[in-house]
């Protein structure tokens, strides 16, 4: 195993790929955790070793041409979840996990927190936010109904897989946020829209492999799509209800201005790297 890893580390270093990816790929093939690779000695028959080397070489080559490790292994971590992902759905990012903290915090501070509340997740993708909110709220005794709205049929395949995996009663609506859920009113709306300006350069593996529909927010400032999500939240939220949206680090003030007429108490929140990444507000 050590020889395999050393060879992979060398190749990845030359191509500026994180060494941890080599460990993740090997752990995936062996069906063990990354930590277990170094914690135990694995003895394989010659035939099994040849098969392992061949399969590992294939995965290494996929990674060398830029395919994300999450697509290769078919899984991505998000908070306490292990989500199924693949081409056609955005890979959930650690930064997005903070949205869940804000929602749980809002639920915990609500004077009527013992009553059932409704949550709508706009641009649900893999279901990371919906599923994390549903599972963590249940552990804390909050009663929620959750609806996940996703425009992309390709992404919705992964969304449904993950909801089924965790056996949750989350309703999936495959529709544009602008028209989804007419006449519905919710207590909480979370949104992770495409927000990257169309002209902004992205890392090669993101540009080549992840769905553009989940990334690009429009020309110049990237606010075209986020504004549509904000308009949807205006329509879907009850007065006094909670809205939180993820956005580009340079869009905080633009988001705040877009919320000014229909929302109160707008607050910009930073991500794990200290960059402006989310804005929350209350519906007027």
């Amino acid at each position: 195993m050590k020889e395999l890893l050393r060879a992979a580390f060398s190749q990845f270093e030359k191509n500026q790929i994180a060494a941890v990816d080599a460990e993740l790929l090997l752990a995936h093939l062996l069906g063990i955790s990354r930590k277990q690779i170094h914690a135990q000695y694995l003895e394989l028959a010659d035939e099994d070793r040849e098969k392992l080397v061949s399969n590992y070489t294939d995965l290494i080559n996929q990674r060398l041409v830029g395919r994300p490790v999450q697509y290769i292994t078919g899984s991505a971590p998000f908070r306490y979840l292990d989500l199924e992902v693949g081409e056609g759905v955005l890979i959930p990012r650690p930064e997005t996990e903070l949205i869940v903290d804000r929602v749980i915090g809002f639920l915990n501070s609500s004077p009527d927190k013992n009553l059932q509340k409704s949550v709508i997740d706009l641009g649900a993708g893999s279901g990371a936010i919906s599923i994390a909110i549903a599972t963590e709220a249940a552990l804390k005794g909050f009663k929620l109904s959750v609806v996940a709205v996703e425009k992309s049929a390709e992404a919705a395949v992964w969304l449904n897989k993950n909801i089924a995996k965790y056996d949750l009663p989350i309703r999936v609506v495959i529709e544009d946020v602008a028209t989804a859920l007419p006449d519905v009113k919710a207590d909480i709306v979370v949104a992770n829209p495409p927000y990257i300006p169309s002209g902004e350069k992205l890392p090669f593996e993101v540009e080549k492999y992840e769905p553009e529909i989940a990334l690009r927010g429009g020309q110049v400032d990237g606010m075209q799509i986020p504004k549509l999500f904000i308009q949807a939240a205006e329509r879907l939220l009850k007065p006094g209800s909670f809205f939180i949206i993820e956005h580009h680090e340079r869009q905080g003030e633009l988001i705040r201005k877009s919320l000014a007429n229909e929302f109160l108490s707008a607050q910009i929140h930073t991500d794990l790297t200290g960059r402006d990444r989310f804005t929350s507000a209350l519906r007027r």
Side-chain angles (χ1 to χ4, degrees), residues 131-178:
I131 296 169
I133 289 173
T135 54
E136 293 181 40
L139 288 173
K140 293 182 178 294
F142 299 127
K143 300 171 185 175
L144 295 183
S145 63
V146 182
V147 180
V149 179
E150 174 53 54
K151 177 180 179 179
S152 165
E154 291 81 4
V157 170
W158 299 100
L159 173 59
N160 280 307
K161 280 184 179 181
N162 287 315
I163 290 171
K165 177 179 180 178
Y166 288 95
D167 192 23
L168 294 167
I170 295 174
R171 177 186 170 197
V172 174
V173 175
I174 306 174
E175 193 171 342
D176 193 290
V177 298

Side-chain angles (χ1 to χ4, degrees), residues 69-107:
V69 67
Q70 294 91 342
Y71 285 171
I72 298 172
T73 63
S75 69
F78 187 83
R79 290 179 75 86
Y80 310 109
L81 307 172
D82 181 25
L83 299 169
E84 295 187 29
V85 296
E87 276 81 356
V89 70
L90 189 73
I91 297 167
R93 267 59 173 183
E95 290 79 10
T96 303
E97 295 183 10
L98 299 181
I99 285 183
V100 181
D101 288 323
R102 295 290 174 180
V103 171
I104 297 297
F106 173 77
L107 289 169

Side-chain angles (χ1 to χ4, degrees), residues 7 12 19 45 92 100 105 137 145 153 162 181 200 210 222 226-227 263 267 276-277:
F12 281 7
V100 181
S145 63
N162 287 315
L181 304 171
E200 182 173 314
E210 294 194 67
K227 284 179 179 177
F263 290 87
Q267 283 186 286
D276 292 347
R277 185 65 63 198

Side-chain angles (χ1 to χ4, degrees), residues 45-64:
D46 289 345
E47 183 179 333
D48 292 334
R49 180 178 173 78
E50 286 178 13
K51 184 178 179 182
L52 175 66
V53 171
S54 175
N55 290 338
Y56 191 49
T57 300
D58 176 58
L59 299 191
I60 293 297
N61 287 336
Q62 290 184 51
R63 188 70 191 92
L64 286 171

Side-chain angles (χ1 to χ4, degrees), residues 7-24:
F9 289 162
S10 177
Q11 288 180 288
F12 281 7
E13 184 179 7
K14 291 174 184 175
N15 289 273
Q16 297 182 315
I17 298 172
V20 67
D21 286 4
E23 296 175 334
L24 290 169

Side-chain angles (χ1 to χ4, degrees), residues 172-230:
V172 174
V173 175
I174 306 174
E175 193 171 342
D176 193 290
V177 298
T179 54
L181 304 171
D183 304 318
V184 170
K185 294 294 180 182
D187 298 293
I188 298 169
V189 169
V190 298
N192 186 10
Y195 55 73
I196 298 170
S198 297
E200 182 173 314
K201 186 173 176 59
L202 291 170
F204 171 76
E205 64 186 54
V206 176
E207 187 85 54
K208 182 176 179 181
Y209 287 95
E210 294 194 67
E212 184 177 13
I213 191 175
L215 294 165
R216 298 296 189 182
Q219 298 292 334
V220 188
D221 59 10
M223 282 292 294
Q224 180 182 342
I225 305 301
K227 284 179 179 177
L228 296 178
F229 277 61
I230 290 170

